Amino acid sequence: MARVASSFDVAVIGAGAAGMMAAAVAGQRGLRVVLIDHAEKLAEKIRISGGGRCNFTNIGTTPANFLSQNPHFCRSALAAYTPRDFIDMVEKHGIRWHEKHRGQLFCDESSEDIIAMLKRECDDGRVAWRMPCSVKDIVRDQEAFLLRTNQGNITARQLVMATGGMAIPQLGATDFALGIARQFGLKVVEPRPALVPLTFDAQAWQPFSALSGVALEVSVKNDGAAGKRKPAGAAVRRQTEFLEDLLFTHRGLSGPAILQISSFWEPGEPIHVDLAPHQDLERDLLAAKPGSRQQLSTVLAGLWPKRLADQWLASVEGQDAGSLRLADVPDKTLRNLAAHIHSWSLVPNGTAGYKKAEVMRGGVDTRALNQKTMEAGTVPGLYFIGEAVDVTGWLGGYNFQWAWASGVACGQALSGA
Ligand code: FDA
């Protein structure tokens, strides 16, 4: 193979969503850009996203859909590059899309279309590729960053860290960006798995494990500021509520409702689930009671998924509760049953971890970065974008919108020779 150039205006490490976007934008502005990734296969997270159809944005995106210790940081980039801007790019490439629900946009065909689109945009910017390529270390002198890689040394006047978060390490996710941030004296907000199933003590969960596979719409909220413990970081600790589907699993709870609340959950705190958010069970049970010869389990199964009704009565309310005739059940018992179903509070013992998480929350502390450019204030020429930064979106296309927006902000700010 011919010897290729090793000196660039910009080196981008991480050829995922944010890195490809930043490289393409900078390249199309005429900058000499090299894009480096250690993976064998390009953009695996885009590939598997949205069940293979990539929920590439959310048309309702606002800064309120993100968690960060510095909640206003994301405003500027999100305002400068909107979901409509990304849709325009998607349409320019002839990719057909549809809205699934709640503003979530998906490809009609495959997430491969988004990867191919970003690759073509990089090609239009004459971006040079080093992939698979491992960066062993990075040093900086007055002039440039020197990257020692297994494909030789690369120098670049500007360095963009776009290596994402730690979710799904089996796909090559690393904390490389966080290590580089620390190396250059920047702070890191403690990283944790987010958009992740919650787990429970095995013994305490035993009665519910039989419900594995049951799904229903619930409303779920965290303790947040309403909890007993003092808030540590206001943005993460505010009480937030989601109306989404919940899924019982063998080890705990999953489904969109739980993934959403997991990002706000703090260890040791309870979550509060309304298992019948569209009903007033107290009213319905008391209304059905007069003279009713039906068993309580039959009545509850008419209002709720049958498997859940049976198991709930057996394991939560006691062995015989379900077999009582409704007319014989004291009003107080019915009120307590309804209250419990509408406000089921439980304390997870942890999460399913990075292996099952969709994203990492925390990351490079945004207080060290310029919100318009993503450049580190104390290290001119060093940029952090995408999930590596302490900006974490809700479930529903927001994380990709942040990747695109932060990538574009950076790509437009990078300078030529
Ligand atoms: P991204 O992870 O995309 O890219 C990072 C790149 O850096 C990778 O190519 C990796 O190989 C490379 N890298 C890592 N360490 C390196 C190192 N040391 N050296 C060199 N290269 C390195 N979001 C959304 O909005 N809609 C959705 O539908 C989904 N669905 C979804 C499903 C699943 C299963 C997961 C795990 C995640 C999602 N997400 C999502 C989240 C979304 O995928 C994620 O937030 C973005 O891909 C983040 O973009 P980045 O470019 O920051 O990182």
Side-chain angles (χ1 to χ4, degrees), residues 103-334:
Q104 300 170 9
L105 305 192
F106 288 76
C107 298
D108 280 3
E109 308 290 334
S110 161
S111 50
E112 301 274 2
D113 294 340
I114 299 292
I115 301 175
M117 173 188 85
L118 292 167
K119 176 78 170 52
R120 280 203 298 277
E121 290 284 330
C122 285
D123 291 345
D124 288 349
R126 297 170 164 273
V127 171
W129 290 81
R130 299 286 187 278
M131 189 178 161
C133 174
S134 302
V135 180
K136 292 176 190 147
D137 58 43
I138 299 171
V139 290
R140 179 174 181 259
D141 64 20
Q142 308 281 45
E143 306 285 310
F145 293 88
L146 170 66
L147 283 58
R148 282 198 321 124
T149 83
N150 66 349
Q151 293 192 24
N153 291 351
I154 294 173
T155 57
R157 287 186 304 100
Q158 296 153 105
L159 174 62
V160 180
M161 294 303 305
T163 49
M166 284 188 272
I168 322 281
Q170 54 279 36
L171 285 185
T174 69
D175 63 353
F176 192 59
L178 309 190
I180 296 301
R182 291 192 186 99
Q183 177 190 328
F184 285 97
L186 306 181
K187 288 204 176 110
V188 169
V189 175
E190 185 198 351
R192 296 228 210 118
L195 300 182
V196 63
L198 295 173
T199 56
F200 296 86
D201 171 73
Q203 209 177 347
W205 194 251
Q206 210 273 328
F208 301 104
S209 62
L211 289 169
S212 179
V214 169
L216 74 168
E217 192 175 48
V218 304
S219 157
V220 59
K221 60 189 176 197
N222 63 322
D223 235 13
K228 292 193 183 79
R229 293 193 306 164
K230 202 166 180 286
V236 183
R237 307 271 305 162
R238 71 175 187 262
Q239 190 170 51
T240 307
E241 189 162 3
F242 294 96
L243 183 69
E244 299 257 20
D245 283 354
L246 169 147
L247 174 70
F248 284 86
T249 72
H250 284 295
R251 289 184 62 200
L253 294 173
S254 187
I258 295 302
L259 300 192
Q260 296 281 32
I261 209 65
S262 73
S263 299
F264 294 84
W265 176 73
E266 294 291 331
E269 280 183 359
I271 57 166
H272 309 283
V273 187
D274 181 346
L275 288 160
H278 301 299
Q279 284 158 282
D280 181 342
L281 280 183
E282 178 180 321
R283 187 199 59 202
D284 292 349
L285 288 169
L286 290 175
K289 177 177 165 177
S292 172
R293 302 176 62 83
Q294 285 192 305
Q295 290 186 332
L296 175 56
S297 60
T298 310
V299 177
L300 194 61
L303 299 167
W304 227 23
K306 180 169 166 30
R307 239 174 105 195
L308 182 54
D310 290 347
Q311 189 65 28
W312 187 271
L313 287 170
S315 56
V316 180
E317 304 298 326
Q319 278 292 331
D320 303 323
S323 58
L324 294 174
R325 284 193 325 174
L326 184 61
D328 298 335
V329 183
D331 286 2
K332 191 174 167 208
T333 305
L334 293 179

Side-chain angles (χ1 to χ4, degrees), residues 347-369:
V347 182
N349 72 352
T351 74
Y354 284 117
K355 276 190 175 171
K356 301 279 179 193
E358 282 207 5
V359 292
M360 170 188 90
R361 82 182 218 206
V364 178
D365 193 330
T366 58
R367 285 164 286 212
L369 306 180

